[in-house]
Each structure stands twice: as structure tokens, then as C-alpha cells.
């Protein structure tokens, strides 16, 4: 160390003049760089072929943005942001999407978060509420209070916002299926808090097209569902000028497996259809379009996400101009973003803190207006106070400590980001033009090709992860030898449901029953005619009609919509065409078929009111490609219905998919029905978001294998074949 210090001192005190580097005689060309790079990587092609179909080069120069002008922040087409000052003037709104258990528990959680720096509320409702059922309905016994807050009456909504002044707080509500009763309850809760409708501020998601495409928490068929959206546009534009009447959502598309290009194109196309429906119902486009907002997922492809938000603003400005909007506010895309849920991992979960931070930075650099950051434990369960605090503070640190908000659009002018933005604009516009040629997004959704595109992308992504081509740290690379359990939030579904049932009974006993039934009859007649459904539902809510009663009154006229899953074929198997491990699995399935005298059969069951079907569809696609006969069960089955279907189809395995914490009640009930029918031989396996703490309970109930988030489907298939009596050593020869 002393010698080093002496040398440093001698250099520091030297009187010799430094030798200047020689000036290059000519500036290196792009060809010179290519030669240098090729030598360094021995000629290997460094181009990245993205899932979006964009070839990303390792170097971008001014030539890549020739003819592309992103403009200035605050000016059309808003590539660089919708406000001239952006975050230098005011940072984005910090929201946390939250809701669980009862209205009382959620209200307490909101108050704690608001006191700690959160600026707006974002409400998560339970699946019974989403699907228009009261908590006392027999179809929702396993869903009440599990993935959000249970709201059955105006009284629940009043408790939810107790002590939170609705004339001062922006409230975002993620609701699509039961959007009419929920918005009616919110309006009446505001009234009874003394807040005029014109002062209510916030957003209702109200985006039904993406429900039919990916998330599936719909109630009514597409046509009356689109009418509901138009009625909400009309009511809010007249009565609630500060309220955003729709949040057009791409988030759930990316969560279902869409590439960023699909998410971008289909979200903008959805928005175009909604505007057309509003105009067709007689609304002036510039009277309601300025209150439309958007909602995007932010995943781990950092620069692609930044460019996606920039491209979305360009596309929306172009679309609204073509639709005849004159007011620049109508052409201005404002968006909320949420960090990706599907990028969170059950394995090595503290890595999720870094993932969320990276995604939050991408949303900020892309120019979001508000942001929710996911908690580290949300791949396993609802967030605890501990994990929610870290997630919220991620945003506060970005705003307060990094200096990132001091410059407007700091990535503007980046050759790469601008080129990527243009590529996304062009690629998405091609898809949007196809949608328009085929009659709009509602018809495209009915035809099914956008959903098929997304499911093919999801299967391709799953195959890349299982093969290790797409790295997920802690899952398919750098895996820990052992996983330490982390504390999770567990909701007592039985206690919550009992409390909700009691409150419903109290509300019904105290109301003027005749007045309530008159209001429901008026709503029913309004559904048959053309009266505004939200206005009629507000009257019913004042009369203390429940959410289930308001939904049922419209269902009496519109009916309840249902679809049958249709898994894609060949995508997963195609990715493994030359893989020996896949070939051994196929031989194992063939050997099982010879032994059984038929193909092995698997029912993929979706029980309860959870409509997220990405995992179920992946399992169906993968096992179908292997040679199983797959029975894709309908969504929203009860355990009894799933058991009856398993018996009818004489399946060997039931794969129960659970994403909404209903596994502790629904899966044991299914096993009980199979045993009562004398078919305890049917193997029941479980997959999805299931905390490790619940594995022992499920095994004791009779579950024979459990596959959590991040499971390698090849390994899962090997385990299923073992359960069916076929052992597959690594060196198995061809039969």
C-alpha cells in the first residue's frame, strides 16, 4: 500500500507534460464500428429479435431517426408528454391498487397509506362483486373478500370511504362487469357524505372489450355491455365533469401474455370503438372524449415500455383526429400505469423489489400520469402492510431523491428510443387498420383473433422461459437451493362472508321494500327501452337495492354471457420440436396411451369467479401438444359442476387453476365430490398463485401435486405422467 501511495505521489508531482492522444484524421464510419464489433464478438450477430417482431440493433445513430420528429412536450402529437412541464411542474400521482376483506379493513389500509404519502386511491373489488353477485349467493362462497373488497350495498361503499373526503380525493375503481351498481353506489355515498356529483374526481375502468378478450369478469353479452358504456359516458359528461368515464386498459392483455405491440394496438383499437359507440349514441365527441383515460402494464422490457407509452400518445392523437375531434384535449392520451404482476416471482421474491423499481422507472420515463407499484409478495398473496410500504416508497424515492423529475422527457432524442417509438407506431397502426377493415374491435373480439394472437404469444413466452432462452433470475437461472418462507396476508374468507351476509340482511330489513322494488322494476324497464341505466341505478341504490339485485334486474333483460375456452395448438410443441426431453415426454404419453387403451385425459378446471385464464390455457395448450386429450372446463364453475364434468368425461387428472386465493375452499370441495361419487382414483393437481404455507393443507385434503408460479411445464408434465404410473428416467429409451 505504501508503494502504491509513493507511486501515486510521484505521478501527482511529476513535471512531465501529459501526452495528448492523436486527433483522428477521419471520423469512424458505421462500417468501421461494425467491423470492430464483429471482431470483438467473433462475428456473432448481436441483433435482438423481439417478440414484437422488431429487430433491435446493438447500435443506433442519427440515420435511424431520419424523418421522425417527436415534437415538444405539451404539443401535438404529444409524443414527449401531454404537459409542457410534465414532472418538473408536478410529479405523477402515487396510487396503490388495494382492497381486501371487508370495507372496514380496506378503509383502515387506505388511511394508513394516505398518511404515509399516497396521493390517490385505487380500489380492488372482490370477484363476487366484479361478477355482479351479492356475498350471499351460493356461487361465490370461495371468492368473497379474497382478491379485493366485498361491496354489496351503499352502506359498504360509505364505510369504504369513511373519513376520506370524496371532494378532495381522486378515486380510481377497477370495475367492468358490475360497473353500473358500483358507480351508482359511489355517487350515492358521495351524496350522503355531502359531496355534489360535479365534485367527484377519479376514474372508473368500465372497459368491457378487454374483459371479453382476456380477463373475463364480464356479466352481460357484448352489445348491452357496450350500451352500458355509452350510458355512463352520457351521465358522467353531464353530471360529473371531473370524473374519467373509462380507463381503456391494455394492462390485462400484457398480463395474459400479449406482447407490448399487441397491448398497444388492441388498447388503442378498443378506445376507437368506445368513441364510435359514444358518438353513435348521440354524444358530441369533444364533450366526452377529454375524460377518457388509459391503463397500461409496465413489464421488464425497459426501453420497449418507455417507447410504448410514447407511441400510444401518437396513435391516440392520430385516431382522434381521424374520428373528427377538434379539441386538442380530446386527442390527448392520459394514462395510469401499473408495474407487471406476471413479472413477479414466487421464487426468491425479494428480487421483485428490483423488478418493480425498474418497471416504475420505465413508466416514469415514458410519461405516465399516475402509477401503482406492485408489492414483492403479490405473486403469492395479497400484499402485507410491510410489502405495500416498500412498493409505495419506491415511487416516493423516485420522486424525491433521484432528480429524475427535474428534466422533461429525459430520453427524448435518444436514437434508440425514438426509433423504437416509430417502430411501435407503425406496427400498431397496421394492426389497428386491420381491426377497422374488419368492422371494429367489438367484431374482432367476437371473431376471436386478437385473443388467439395473445394466447399464441403467451405460449411462445412460456416455452422460451422453460427452455431458459428468456432468463428470469431466481426461477430458471441462479436458482436458490432452498426458499425461506415469507410472511403473507391471509384473509379468513368464511368470516368475511358471514359478516357480509349479516350486513345485507340488516340493509334489506331497514329499507322501504316497496320503494326498492319500484326502483328495480324501473331499471328493468329501462334495460328493455332506452333510458339511462346509470341514472336508474342511482335511484335503486338510494332505495338500498343491493349490487346483486341491480345486476340481476339488467340480467333479466340482457342475459348472462358465457364462453368456452379454446386453447391454441402447436405453439408450445413447436418451440420444442428438436428437444430430446420433449421427445421423451411424448414417448411417455404414448406409452401411457397404450397402457390405458386411450389417450390420457385431463380436465383443466377454473372454479370460482376468477376469469384470469392465462395459466389454464397454457396448461391446456402444452398437455394437448404432448398428446393428452384435454378437456378445457368452462370458466366460473362450482366444485360440484367441475366434479360432474370430470365424471362425465372420465378423466384421469383434474388440474385445478387458482389465481384468486379460493384454493383453500374450492379444491377440497372438488375432491370431496369426486370421493362421494366413488372416483377417488381421479388425480387432482393444483396450480397457480398458491402460497407454500398452504401446500400441506392441500396435500392433506388429497391434492397430489402442486405447481406454483414459475413452474417449468416440462417438469410438471413429468410429474403428471408419474402420477399416472409412468416413470421416466432421464435415459429412457424410445418404446
Amino acid at each position: 500500500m505504501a508503494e502504491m501511495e509513493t507511486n501515486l505521489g510521484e505521478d501527482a508531482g511529476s513535471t512531465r507534460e501529459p501526452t495528448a492522444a492523436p486527433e483522428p484524421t477521419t471520423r469512424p464510419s458505421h462500417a468501421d464500428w461494425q467491423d470492430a464489433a464483429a471482431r470483438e464478438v467473433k462475428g456473432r450477430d448481436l441483433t435482438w429479435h423481439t417478440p414484437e417482431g422488431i429487430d433491435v440493433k446493438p447500435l443506433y445513430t442519427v440515420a435511424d431517426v431520419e424523418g421522425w420528429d417527436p415534437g415538444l412536450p405539451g404539443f401535438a402529437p404529444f409524443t414527449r408528454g401531454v404537459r409542457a412541464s410534465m414532472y418538473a411542474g408536478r410529479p405523477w400521482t402515487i396510487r396503490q391498487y388495494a382492497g381486501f376483506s371487508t370495507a372496514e379493513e380496506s378503509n383502515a389500509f387506505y388511511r394508513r397509506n394516505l398518511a404515509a404519502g399516497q396521493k390517490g386511491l385505487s380500489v380492488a373489488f372482490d370477484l363476487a362483486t366484479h361478477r355482479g353477485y351479492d356475498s350471499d349467493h351460493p356461487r361465490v362462497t370461495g371468492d368473497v373478500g379474497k382478491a379485493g373488497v366485498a361491496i354489496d350495498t351503499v352502506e359498504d361503499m360509505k364505510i369504504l370511504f369513511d373519513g376520506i373526503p370524496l371532494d378532495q380525493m381522486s378515486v380510481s375503481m377497477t370495475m367492468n362487469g358490475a360497473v353500473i351498481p358500483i358507480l351508482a353506489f359511489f355517487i350515492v355515498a358521495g351524496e350522503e357524505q355531502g359531496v355534489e356529483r360535479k365534485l367527484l374526481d377519479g376514474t372508473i375502468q368500465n372497459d368491457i372489450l378487454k374483459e371479453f378478450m382476456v380477463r373475463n369478469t364480464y356479466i352481460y353479452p357484448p352489445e348491452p355491455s357496450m350500451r352500458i358504456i355509452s350510458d355512463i359516458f352520457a351521465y358522467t359528461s353531464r353530471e360529473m365533469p371531473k370524473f374519467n368515464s373509462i380507463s381503456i386498459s391494455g394492462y390485462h392483455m400484457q398480463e395474459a401474455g400479449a406482447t407490448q405491440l399487441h397491448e398497444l394496438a388492441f388498447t388503442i383499437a378498443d378506445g376507437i370503438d368506445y368513441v364510435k359507440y359514444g358518438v353513435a349514441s348521440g354524444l358530441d365527441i369533444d364533450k366526452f372524449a377529454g375524460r377518457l383515460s388509459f391503463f397500461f402494464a409496465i413489464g421488464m422490457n425497459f426501453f420497449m415500455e418507455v417507447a410504448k407509452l410514447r407511441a400510444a400518445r401518437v396513435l391516440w392523437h392520430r385516431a382522434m383526429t381521424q374520428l373528427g375531434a377538434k379539441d386538442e384535449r380530446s386527442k390527448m392520451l392520459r394514462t395510469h400505469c401499473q408495474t407487471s404482476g406476471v413479472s413477479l416471482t414466487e421464487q426468491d421474491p425479494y428480487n421483485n423489489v428490483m423488478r418493480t423499481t425498474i418497471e416504475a422507472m420505465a413508466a416514469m420515463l415514458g410519461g405516465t400520469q399516475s402509477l401503482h407499484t406492485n408489492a414483492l409478495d403479490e405473486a403469492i398473496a395479497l400484499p402485507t402492510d410491510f410489502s405495500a410500504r416498500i412498493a409505495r416508497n419506491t415511487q416516493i424515492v423516485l420522486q424525491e431523491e433521484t432528480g429524475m423529475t427535474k428534466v422533461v422527457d429525459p430520453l427524448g432524442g435518444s436514437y434508440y428510443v425514438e426509433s423504437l417509438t416509430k417502430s411501435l407506431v407503425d406496427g400498431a397502426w397496421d394492426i389497428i387498420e386491420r381491426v377497422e377493415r374488419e368492422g371494429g374491435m367489438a367484431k374482432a373480439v367476437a371473431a376471436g383473433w386478437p385473443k388467439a394472437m395473445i394466447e399464441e404469444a403467451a405460449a411462445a413466452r412460456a416455452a422460451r422461459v422453460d427452455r431458459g432462452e428468456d432468463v428470469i433470475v431466481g426461477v430458471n437461472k441462479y436458482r436458490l437451493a432452498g426458499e425461506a418462507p415469507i410472511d403473507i396476508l391471509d384473509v379468513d374468507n368464511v368470516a368475511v362472508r358471514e359478516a357480509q351476509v349479516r350486513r345485507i340482511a340488516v340493509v334489506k330489513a331497514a329499507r322501504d321494500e316497496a320503494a326498492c322494488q319500484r326502483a328495480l322494476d324501473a331499471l328493468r324497464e329501462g334495460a328493455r327501452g332506452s333510458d339511462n341505466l346509470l341514472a336508474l341505478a342511482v335511484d335503486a341504490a338510494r332505495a338500498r337495492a343491493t349490487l346483486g339485485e341491480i345486476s340481476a334486474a339488467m340480467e333479466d333483460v340482457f342475459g348472462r354471457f358465457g364462453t368456452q375456452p379454446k386453447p391454441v395448438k402447436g405453439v408450445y410443441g413447436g418451440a420444442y420440436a428438436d428437444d430430446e426431453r420433449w421427445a421423451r415426454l411424448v414417448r411417455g404419453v404414448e406409452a401411457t396411451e397404450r397402457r390405458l387403451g386411450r389417450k390420457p385425459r385431463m380436465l383443466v378446471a377454473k372454479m370460482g369467479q376468477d376469469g384470469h385464464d392465462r395459466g389454464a390455457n397454457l396448461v391446456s395448450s402444452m398437455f394437448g401438444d404432448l398428446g393428452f386429450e384435454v378437456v378445457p372446463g368452462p370458466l366460473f364453475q362450482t366444485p360440484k359442476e367441475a366434479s360432474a364434468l370430470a365424471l362425465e368425461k372420465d378423466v384421469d387428472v383434474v388440474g385445478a387453476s387458482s389465481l384468486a386465493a379460493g384454493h383453500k375452499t374450492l379444491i377440497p370441495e372438488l375432491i370431496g365430490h369426486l370421493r362421494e361419487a366413488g372416483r377417488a382414483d381421479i388425480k387432482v393437481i393444483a396450480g397457480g398463485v398458491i402460497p407454500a404455507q398452504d401446500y400441506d393443507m392441500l396435500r392433506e385434503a388429497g391434492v397430489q401435486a402442486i405447481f406454483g408460479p414459475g413452474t417449468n411445464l416440462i417438469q410438471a408434465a413429468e410429474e403428471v405422467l408419474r402420477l399416472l404410473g409412468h416413470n421416466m428416467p432421464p435415459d429412457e429409451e424410445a418404446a
Side-chain angles (χ1 to χ4, degrees):
M1 185 69 187
E3 182 182 353
M4 183 182 293
E5 289 171 353
T6 301
N7 288 338
L8 285 171
E10 287 174 355
D11 287 343
S14 173
T15 58
R16 288 177 296 176
E17 290 294 325
T19 303
E23 288 290 332
T25 55
T26 58
R27 182 183 180 190
S29 68
H30 192 268
D32 293 330
W33 171 83
Q34 285 180 312
D35 289 343
R39 286 194 302 272
E40 290 175 3
V41 297
K42 297 181 174 56
R44 179 164 49 90
D45 182 14
L46 295 177
T47 301
W48 174 28
H49 307 286
T50 75
E52 291 76 17
I54 298 171
D55 288 342
V56 173
K57 303 182 299 181
L59 178 70
Y60 284 78
T61 68
V62 67
D64 293 294
V65 294
E66 188 176 352
W68 171 258
D69 181 8
L72 291 171
F75 292 89
F78 307 110
T79 317
R80 302 192 63 188
V82 295
R83 301 292 182 205
S85 61
M86 285 302 290
Y87 308 138
R90 187 179 75 178
W92 66 90
T93 300
I94 298 172
R95 295 187 187 275
Q96 287 303 101
Y97 178 55
F100 54 89
S101 182
T102 62
E104 291 91 344
E105 289 284 340
S106 296
N107 174 261
F109 184 78
Y110 294 158
R111 288 198 191 193
R112 291 194 298 272
N113 283 2
L114 291 170
Q118 185 176 314
K119 301 301 182 184
L121 296 179
S122 189
V123 182
F125 299 95
D126 74 357
L127 289 165
T129 303
H130 273 287
R131 295 270 292 147
Y133 294 115
D134 286 336
S135 296
D136 58 1
H137 197 285
R139 296 196 73 86
V140 300
T141 53
D143 295 299
V144 176
K146 291 297 283 186
V149 61
I151 299 292
D152 294 309
T153 69
V154 168
E155 300 307 320
D156 290 330
M157 191 71 81
K158 288 171 67 176
I159 293 167
L160 187 67
F161 296 116
D162 183 42
I164 300 172
L166 292 178
D167 55 347
Q168 300 174 35
M169 182 59 58
S170 172
V171 177
S172 172
M173 294 181 286
T174 300
M175 178 53 64
N176 303 282
V179 63
I180 287 286
I182 283 295
L183 192 47
F185 289 172
F186 179 69
I187 291 166
V188 174
E191 286 178 358
E192 297 186 7
Q193 206 184 76
V195 177
E196 296 179 70
R197 288 193 293 278
K198 67 181 182 181
L199 298 178
L200 293 173
D201 188 6
T203 304
I204 189 83
Q205 192 164 100
N206 193 26
D207 177 6
I208 204 65
L209 284 175
K210 71 96 171 51
E211 296 295 329
F212 291 119
M213 203 185 320
V214 290
R215 189 165 175 255
N216 300 313
T217 53
Y218 43 67
I219 301 174
Y220 315 109
E223 197 60 36
S225 296
M226 293 299 282
R227 176 197 162 178
I228 285 170
I229 288 171
S230 295
D231 282 1
I232 290 172
F233 285 175
Y235 186 95
T236 54
S237 63
R238 184 179 67 247
E239 303 283 343
M240 302 164 68
K242 295 177 66 178
F243 199 80
N244 297 316
S245 52
I246 193 168
S247 176
I248 304 155
S249 174
Y251 182 88
H252 304 93
M253 298 180 201
Q254 189 179 136
E255 294 292 278
T259 68
Q260 278 89 339
L261 182 63
H262 293 146
E263 178 193 8
L264 174 61
F266 293 141
T267 304
I268 298 297
D270 279 352
I272 291 170
D273 247 28
Y274 292 137
V275 170
K276 286 181 176 179
Y277 268 82
V279 171
S281 69
L283 296 174
D284 180 338
I285 189 170
D286 286 317
K287 287 288 192 290
F288 72 91
R291 298 312 305 177
L292 309 185
S293 68
F294 287 77
F295 174 29
F296 287 103
I298 303 294
M300 286 297 287
N301 191 345
F302 186 86
F303 289 105
M304 192 73 76
E305 294 292 8
V306 173
K308 181 185 74 183
L309 297 186
R310 303 169 99 251
R313 292 191 288 269
V314 175
L315 290 165
W316 188 242
H317 185 272
R318 182 185 297 178
M320 293 301 290
T321 301
Q322 292 187 3
L323 289 170
K326 299 292 188 290
D327 189 339
E328 285 298 293
R329 182 177 173 78
S330 300
K331 307 175 187 180
M332 185 187 292
L333 182 144
R334 294 160 300 116
T335 189
H336 170 70
C337 290
Q338 180 174 339
T339 60
S340 172
V342 79
S343 73
L344 302 177
T345 64
E346 177 188 38
Q347 300 84 358
D348 207 356
Y350 290 102
N351 289 340
N352 294 334
V353 177
M354 286 84 83
R355 292 186 179 102
T356 295
T357 303
I358 290 164
E359 291 166 351
M361 288 173 60
M364 174 265 169
L365 291 167
T368 190
Q369 277 62 65
S370 72
L371 179 63
H372 163 89
T373 34
N374 286 331
L376 67 94
D377 48 1
E378 287 188 70
I380 308 164
L382 291 167
T384 61
D385 277 6
F386 169 76
S387 65
R389 179 172 173 269
I390 293 172
R392 182 184 61 252
N393 285 354
T394 299
Q395 296 193 54
I396 296 174
V397 168
L398 288 177
Q399 287 188 357
E400 303 283 349
E401 294 189 22
T402 64
M404 294 173 72
T405 61
K406 305 299 184 185
V407 176
V408 179
D409 188 27
L411 291 184
S414 157
Y415 299 142
Y416 175 38
V417 170
E418 299 296 358
S419 177
L420 203 52
T421 301
K422 183 180 185 303
S423 294
L424 286 171
V425 167
D426 293 344
W429 193 251
D430 286 344
I431 296 174
I432 292 165
E433 286 186 320
R434 177 187 172 183
V435 170
E436 291 304 296
R437 284 194 304 271
E438 298 185 18
M441 199 62 188
K443 289 187 177 177
V445 168
W449 63 265
K451 183 177 180 66
M453 268 189 177
I454 291 170
E455 289 186 0
E456 287 171 8
R461 161 70 171 170
R464 291 196 305 273
V465 171
D466 284 355
R467 289 171 63 91
E469 294 164 2
D470 287 4
V471 173
I472 302 178
V473 174
V475 176
N476 63 1
K477 198 172 183 180
Y478 312 111
R479 185 79 183 254
L480 291 175
E483 297 277 352
I486 65 171
D487 291 334
I488 61 168
L489 177 66
D490 186 30
V491 173
D492 185 345
N493 162 251
V494 174
V496 173
R497 186 170 184 269
E498 288 174 351
Q500 289 300 120
V501 170
R502 286 195 297 270
R503 184 174 294 152
I504 291 170
V506 169
V507 169
K508 286 183 176 181
R511 71 190 184 188
D512 181 332
E513 190 62 32
C516 180
Q517 293 305 320
R518 284 195 300 271
L520 289 170
D521 288 342
L523 176 60
R524 203 172 283 109
E525 288 306 307
R528 292 192 182 96
S530 59
D531 292 344
N532 189 286
L533 295 172
L534 179 54
L536 292 167
V538 169
D539 292 339
R542 289 195 192 104
R544 284 338 191 237
T546 68
L547 175 132
E549 289 172 327
I550 292 172
S551 295
M554 292 185 288
E555 187 180 338
D556 288 345
V557 179
F558 300 147
R560 184 172 278 267
F561 186 72
T563 56
Q564 180 70 34
K566 296 178 181 177
V568 297
K569 296 180 180 179
V571 176
Y572 206 100
Y576 278 87
D578 302 319
D579 190 288
E580 178 54 29
R581 193 174 177 192
W582 177 269
R584 288 200 304 270
L585 274 171
V586 170
R587 293 194 295 269
V589 174
E590 290 169 347
T592 304
E593 180 179 352
R594 289 193 296 272
R595 182 165 49 79
L596 294 174
R598 57 167 174 77
K599 289 180 179 291
R601 293 195 194 109
M602 172 185 283
L603 167 64
V604 178
K606 284 290 297 181
M607 296 180 291
Q609 299 305 306
D610 171 37
H612 295 87
D613 58 357
R614 175 179 181 166
N617 289 338
L618 284 175
V619 168
S620 295
S621 298
M622 188 266 198
F623 277 88
D625 286 355
L626 274 176
F628 274 69
E629 182 182 334
V630 175
V631 180
L635 297 175
F636 314 122
Q637 285 191 306
T638 64
K640 188 173 184 178
E641 289 166 344
S643 170
L645 185 58
L647 297 171
E648 176 193 339
K649 298 296 184 180
D650 190 24
V651 302
D652 306 294
V653 182
V654 177
S657 172
S658 175
L659 288 177
H663 55 273
K664 292 172 76 171
T665 52
L666 298 172
I667 296 176
E669 188 178 336
L670 166 68
I671 293 170
H673 287 303
L674 291 173
R675 286 173 174 168
E676 287 170 10
R679 291 302 308 274
D681 61 301
I682 295 176
K683 311 292 190 292
V684 175
I685 61 176
V689 180
I690 301 175
Q693 291 90 322
D694 293 345
Y695 283 16
D696 287 345
M697 181 276 294
L698 290 174
R699 289 186 181 113
E700 288 172 9
V703 174
Q704 302 210 13
I706 303 169
F707 305 110
T711 292
N712 184 300
L713 290 181
I714 298 293
Q715 294 173 356
E718 290 173 345
E719 177 65 20
V720 170
L721 281 174
R722 277 193 288 271
L723 288 174
L724 293 179
H726 182 81
N727 292 316
M728 281 190 26
D731 59 348
E732 179 191 62
E733 328 96 28

